[in-house]
Amino acid sequence: MQLSSLDLKGQRALIRVDFNVPLNEAREVTDDTRIRAALPTIQHVLNEGGSVVLMSHLGRPKGPDAEWSLKHVLPTLERLLGQSVQFAADCVDDVALDVSQFLKAGEVALLENLRFHPEEEEGDEFFAGQLAENGDVYINDAFGTAHRAHASTAVIARFFPEDKAFGLLLAAEIDALKKVLAHPEKPLTAIIGGAKVSSKLGIIEHLVGRVDRLIIGGGMAYTFVQAQGGKIGNSLVESEMHAQALEILKKAEATGTELLLPIDTLAADAFAPDAATQIVATSEIPDGWMGLDIGPKTREIFIESVSTSRTILWNGPMGVFEMPAFAAGTNDVAEALAKATADHGAFTLIGGGDSVAAINQAGLADQVSYVSTGGGAMLEYLEGKVLPGIQAIED
Ligand code: AMP
């Protein structure tokens, strides 16, 4: 259900948010992106005359642990919201109900860390029912945990058969992913990079045949090159993935997906920022040298490919972008995406921890169509899996 079709006047909205934010030694929030991302949904409920009960996990505590109390998030939340927030020192039972039951319209409460109870990750139904007592309607706005069948992300929805909805953030994530996978404007290009084929195999297999072009860069490209008989020197490789790599190449040909691999490589004599470098053909990397970025000809081909696409999905860097000497390929792709968005209104979606870091490093995050916040959840969605947190609302 859409948030806009929920009747919120006088209702307590129990919202699953993702406040799993980084904390420093002094337990201060060092990056408030996720808290800011939750504000539109919270404000919407308040504007509609409801009250808000927020619940989230934080870190990976094994039971109650002051280090991982959501209390640490409270000052940042209050500052960003511009109002005081009540805190319940437990997310269930009387401690929670004493706060949530008496909330008045316009008021906001935050429940203690869900993961202080092992039942949360176990998806325990009784626990989900206890959580459900804290609200009259349920809203899921946590895309980062949408791939988990936990009590607060999926199981709880059963207790709100008529009164559940996606929050604005989660709805926007789903909308962006559907623009790529369900009804893309063509040509549709996917750019997949990063270290390992094995971690992206599910995605690549799901995308071959669905996209018009599949660009493969980063360390994983060398496994494809070696599988085809190329010499890759000391580059990163997963030889045990040769068969799968060849299978993907075959499927691409059979389905008419144009698969682009790097033709040249920036090779280095060491995995170091100041290593000696040379540009070589990707299939002729000398022994003792390793490919750490795509080469200039490849960059041109990839840029050209992006510039003629209407929809572009990008996950994973083209090289070791953390070292400036090997960041050109990744930066060029980031710039090409921004340019395609500006020049001809291409829809550009970026997701996965390292590509998000790369687009931020390039200072271009606000020049692409959408930057996804949910790493694991987005990857599973791209593998074609059904996400429990999404299904629970749609059912
Ligand atoms: P992933 O988490 O699989 O997206 O991989 C991201 C990591 O892959 C980044 O830390 C990059 O430095 C690394 N990476 C990308 N290209 C290469 C390469 N050619 N050799 C070694 N590591 C790479």
Side-chain angles (χ1 to χ4, degrees):
M1 195 192 263
Q2 303 268 353
L3 186 57
S4 55
S5 40
L6 271 189
D7 185 10
L8 293 162
K9 197 168 171 54
Q11 302 287 298
R12 293 170 306 152
L14 178 59
I15 312 179
R16 175 53 157 105
V17 289
D18 181 1
F19 284 175
N20 185 31
V21 291
L23 301 173
N24 63 15
E25 295 254 303
R27 307 326 267 167
E28 293 157 341
V29 176
T30 55
D31 181 347
D32 61 10
T33 308
R34 286 178 169 164
I35 303 175
R36 279 188 284 110
L39 296 179
T41 299
I42 299 171
Q43 298 288 11
H44 174 86
V45 174
L46 299 178
N47 291 342
E48 294 290 307
S51 57
V52 169
V53 181
L54 299 167
M55 56 178 174
S56 176
H57 76 283
L58 175 63
R60 297 175 176 275
K62 309 243 173 299
D65 180 347
E67 287 270 290
W68 298 106
S69 172
L70 271 167
K71 228 181 194 163
H72 303 306
V73 169
L74 208 54
T76 309
L77 176 62
E78 289 186 320
R79 178 172 52 78
L80 292 172
L81 258 182
Q83 70 178 76
S84 69
V85 174
Q86 301 178 42
F87 184 73
D90 196 358
C91 58
V92 288
D93 290 331
D94 290 348
V95 178
L97 292 175
D98 279 349
V99 172
S100 64
Q101 262 179 352
F102 303 109
L103 276 189
K104 296 199 261 314
E107 292 183 338
V108 179
L110 174 65
L111 305 182
E112 182 55 288
N113 196 341
L114 292 159
R115 290 198 187 164
F116 284 0
H117 296 264
E119 293 90 340
E120 161 65 358
E121 289 182 83
E122 290 160 10
D124 184 273
E125 186 158 8
F126 180 76
F127 177 72
Q130 286 183 300
L131 287 175
E133 289 173 28
N134 291 298
D136 305 309
V137 305
Y138 168 69
I139 297 168
N140 189 356
D141 210 16
F143 183 61
T145 47
H147 58 314
R148 307 280 184 222
H150 293 170
S152 71
T153 60
V155 183
I156 192 171
R158 287 176 212 163
F159 297 91
F160 300 91
E162 308 293 336
D163 303 303
K164 56 184 179 179
F166 294 119
L168 298 170
L169 175 65
L170 184 42
E173 293 273 358
I174 297 169
D175 190 49
L177 284 162
K178 285 192 170 159
K179 276 196 183 133
V180 173
L181 284 188
H183 37 77
E185 269 191 58
K186 301 265 185 165
L188 164 62
T189 296
I191 308 168
I192 307 294
K196 290 183 165 182
V197 187
S198 51
S199 63
K200 307 275 169 83
L201 189 67
I203 298 179
I204 295 174
E205 281 176 340
H206 188 68
L207 292 177
V208 176
R210 283 188 169 76
V211 300
D212 301 300
R213 291 183 202 130
L214 180 61
I215 294 178
I216 295 184
M220 69 170 67
Y222 303 105
T223 297
F224 285 84
V225 174
Q226 193 184 55
Q228 292 174 293
K231 279 182 59 216
I232 58 161
N234 291 17
S235 304
L236 198 67
V237 70
E238 292 172 283
S239 305
E240 69 283 6
M241 299 297 290
H242 278 170
Q244 285 92 331
L246 292 173
E247 201 52 46
I248 286 164
L249 293 168
K250 224 164 80 187
K251 189 174 168 198
E253 199 163 331
T255 55
T257 296
E258 187 190 346
L259 195 146
L260 299 175
L261 285 164
I263 58 166
D264 61 347
T265 282
L266 180 60
D269 65 352
F271 190 86
D274 56 354
T277 61
Q278 61 171 321
I279 290 154
V280 291
T282 310
S283 56
E284 286 162 34
I285 303 176
D287 288 342
W289 292 72
M290 60 187 87
L292 294 185
D293 194 9
I294 55 176
K297 283 197 199 113
T298 303
R299 286 181 357 227
E300 251 173 60
I301 295 169
F302 288 5
I303 290 169
E304 165 70 17
S305 197
V306 166
S307 73
T308 54
S309 300
R310 302 279 315 156
T311 307
I312 305 143
L313 162 74
W314 180 29
N315 172 278
M318 297 292 100
V320 185
F321 74 103
E322 297 94 336
M323 301 183 198
F326 309 108
T330 303
N331 287 339
D332 275 8
V333 165
E335 272 168 32
L337 259 68
K339 195 163 181 320
T341 316
D343 287 359
H344 59 270
F347 183 78
T348 45
L349 170 64
I350 295 176
D354 276 315
S355 343
V356 176
I359 196 93
N360 284 333
Q361 187 176 303
L364 295 170
D366 57 350
Q367 292 178 46
V368 294
S369 309
Y370 200 84
V371 179
S372 175
T373 56
M378 173 171 167
L379 298 187
E380 289 201 14
Y381 194 101
L382 295 178
E383 286 175 10
K385 291 188 183 152
V386 175
L387 306 192
I390 294 179
Q391 196 184 22
I393 299 286
E394 282 178 344
D395 272 353

